[in-house]
Amino acid sequence: PVLGTDDSRTYRLGIMGGTFDPIHNGHLVAAEQAFDDLGLDLVVFMPAGRPAFKQDRNVSSGEDRYAMTLLATADNPHFVASRFEVDREGVTYTADTLRLLRSLYPENVEFYFITGADAITEIVKWRDAADIARLAHLVAATRPGYDLDRAWDAIDASGLAFDVTYLSVPALAISSSHLRERVKAGQSLRYLTPDPVTGYLHKHGLYGMSTNRYGHTS
Ligand code: ATP
Ligand code: MG
C-alpha cells in the first residue's frame, strides 16, 4: 500500500511515531480513528530508532520493535510499518524525520503527525518545534473527558502556530509500560495487543517473562 501519484489532488499521510515497546491496541485504534476522521490516505507507523526521551531504560532493539509493529499492522490495508527511523543512527528527533520526509515526498502530500494529547505539552518543547509546527498537522488522541486546557496553554506559551485536531479515543488508558508489567507478571495480553505481537514477544523472551510449559503466559 503506497500513496497514489495523482498531482491534481492532495494526499494526507498519517505518521504514527512512538517507541512501540510493544505496540498495542491504543496505538492502533488511535491511528484507525485518525485515518477515518481526518480522511487520511495511509498511516505509517514508525518505531523510533533511539528514542530521545527514553534513554534511561532498556528499550528493546529497533529490530524487535519494528517486527512487532509489522505484525500488528499487517492485516490493515491502510497501515504500513516503516524502518525509516530504526535504520537511522543515533537519537531520533521528530523534526529531523519530518524534514527528511518533506524532502522525499512531493508537495501535494500533507503530513499528519499522530500523538497522544498529553504529549502536546512536551512536543512544543521538542528540538526544532517550529519546524514540526511548519511541516505537519498534529492529531492529538485524548481520553474522553480529558481536560485540554494544558495542551492549549502549552501551545499558546510556545508562540508557535501548531495546527492540532483533537480526537477522543476511549482506549487511551492502554500503555506499553502497562503491557510490559503484565508480561513480567505472567499475565495475559489478550485484547490489549494483537495476538501475533504477543506470540512474538514470548518467542523472543522480551520483557522478562516467565514462561509456562506452553511457552506462553495465557
Ligand atoms: P510507554 O508506556 O512506554 O510510554 P506508550 O504506550 O505511551 O509507551 P509510546 O510508544 O510511548 O507508547 O507512544 C507512541 C505514541 O502513541 C505517543 O504519541 C503516545 O502519546 C501515543 N499513545 C500511547 N498510548 C496510547 C493510547 N492508549 N491511545 C492513543 N495514543 C496512545
Ligand atoms: Mg508514552
Side-chain angles (χ1 to χ4, degrees):
V2 286
L3 288 177
T5 52
D6 178 353
D7 320 328
S8 65
R9 56 158 289 195
T10 297
Y11 291 95
R12 296 181 165 195
L13 179 68
I15 301 163
M16 181 87 197
T19 312
F20 300 138
D21 194 19
I23 190 166
H24 55 67
N25 287 349
H27 300 131
L28 294 162
V29 79
E32 182 71 2
Q33 249 172 269
F35 177 86
D36 259 347
D37 294 14
L38 284 104
L40 304 184
D41 292 284
L42 184 70
V43 179
V44 182
F45 285 72
M46 261 182 212
R50 190 81 194 94
F53 297 113
K54 298 201 174 166
Q55 298 179 49
D56 49 331
R57 77 167 181 88
N58 280 336
V59 175
S60 304
S61 72
E63 222 47 64
D64 282 336
R65 291 180 292 107
Y66 169 73
M68 292 187 283
T69 303
L70 184 64
L71 288 169
T73 54
D75 67 346
N76 188 327
H78 48 250
F79 285 177
V80 289
S82 167
R83 303 190 57 92
F84 198 67
E85 289 198 339
V86 290
D87 283 345
R88 256 173 35 233
E89 293 288 314
V91 174
T92 1
Y93 292 100
T94 297
D96 293 336
T97 299
L98 290 173
R99 279 192 294 254
L100 276 168
L101 289 172
R102 190 67 281 166
S103 70
L104 293 172
Y105 280 93
E107 283 303 309
N108 63 329
V109 177
E110 293 177 353
F111 300 150
Y112 288 78
F113 187 77
I114 306 164
T115 178
D118 308 58
I120 296 286
T121 55
E122 301 301 319
I123 291 175
V124 299
K125 293 181 274 179
W126 280 358
R127 178 190 281 216
D128 300 336
D131 280 348
I132 299 176
R134 177 173 62 80
L135 294 168
H137 305 274
L138 296 188
V139 183
T142 75
R143 239 169 281 121
Y146 175 78
D147 181 4
L148 291 172
D149 286 355
R150 284 187 56 227
W152 284 324
D153 289 349
I155 291 173
D156 277 351
S158 76
L160 298 170
F162 282 98
D163 171 45
V164 190
T165 304
Y166 294 91
L167 279 186
S168 176
V169 177
L172 209 98
I174 302 175
S175 71
S176 301
S177 326
H178 179 60
L179 266 65
R180 292 193 299 272
E181 280 164 25
R182 291 189 64 85
V183 173
K184 205 166 176 183
Q187 294 166 324
S188 166
L189 297 189
R190 206 177 280 272
Y191 314 122
L192 295 174
T193 191
D195 291 339
V197 172
T198 308
Y200 183 96
L201 61 87
H202 285 164
K203 178 173 168 180
H204 294 270
L206 304 184
Y207 315 125
M209 167 203 51
S210 42
T211 36
N212 63 18
R213 68 201 178 97
Y214 303 108
H216 291 271
T217 51
S218 61

